[in-house]
């Protein structure tokens, strides 16, 4: 691993690693989705790591979670976020930031 750089790219260009030994259960995937929905900053704190071919080396589960989120309509996503107890614990300003982040994400899914 020579020069590492941080880039943002369309989610559709990121390839799942078929050699990934980890498997996530549906219940844990739902928990991860909910966690990301309330704390999207995690994507910048723990970015998905790719090889030179855009294949995931680290962050397979986050890639899967983001893929599921990207499949939601805005109405589904907003209702889902607002139903999460952790979202209700955020300040009003933080809630607005979270909603704004995911609205932008749905318009242009990227990681």
């Amino acid at each position: 691993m020579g020069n590492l750089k941080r880039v943002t790219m369309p989610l559709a260009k990121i390839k799942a690693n078929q050699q990934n030994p980890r498997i996530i259960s549906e219940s844990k995937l739902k928990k991860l989705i909910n966690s990301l929905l309330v704390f999207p900053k995690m994507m910048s704190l723990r970015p998905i790591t790719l090889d030179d071919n855009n294949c995931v080396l680290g962050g397979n589960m986050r890639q899967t979670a983001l893929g599921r989120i990207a499949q939601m309509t805005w109405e589904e996503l907003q209702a889902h976020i607002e139903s999460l107890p952790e979202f209700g614990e955020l300040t009003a300003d933080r809630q607005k930031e979270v909603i704004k982040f995911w609205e932008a994400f749905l318009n242009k899914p990227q990681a």
Side-chain angles (χ1 to χ4, degrees):
M1 286 203 197
N3 296 330
L4 295 179
K5 60 183 175 180
R6 190 175 288 237
V7 298
T8 301
M9 69 172 40
L11 196 58
K13 289 189 176 191
I14 299 174
K15 302 171 194 160
N17 185 343
Q18 301 306 317
Q19 303 300 317
N20 180 30
R22 292 187 60 206
I23 296 175
I24 191 167
S25 68
E26 191 63 29
S27 65
K28 287 188 178 182
L29 178 59
K30 287 179 182 178
K31 286 181 183 180
L32 176 57
I33 289 169
N34 292 345
S35 176
L36 289 173
L37 289 176
V38 175
F39 189 59
K41 187 176 181 180
M42 180 57 69
M43 293 308 304
S44 62
L45 296 174
R46 299 271 325 243
I48 296 171
T49 305
L50 306 174
D51 66 11
D52 292 336
N53 298 313
N54 298 336
C55 184
V56 177
L57 296 175
N60 287 286
M61 302 309 128
R62 280 173 276 139
Q63 179 211 16
T64 301
L66 288 173
R68 290 275 183 95
I69 293 167
Q71 293 173 353
M72 295 180 186
T73 66
W74 170 240
E75 292 76 19
E76 291 170 331
L77 182 57
Q78 187 174 15
H80 186 95
I81 292 170
E82 291 174 353
S83 75
L84 298 172
E86 298 87 354
F87 181 77
E89 295 171 7
L90 299 175
T91 65
D93 286 343
R94 187 71 188 118
Q95 286 179 351
K96 288 177 188 174
E97 288 174 19
V98 167
I99 293 294
K100 185 177 177 181
F101 176 92
W102 290 112
E103 185 174 26
F105 175 84
L106 278 189
N107 288 325
K108 189 176 181 181
Q110 53 189 12

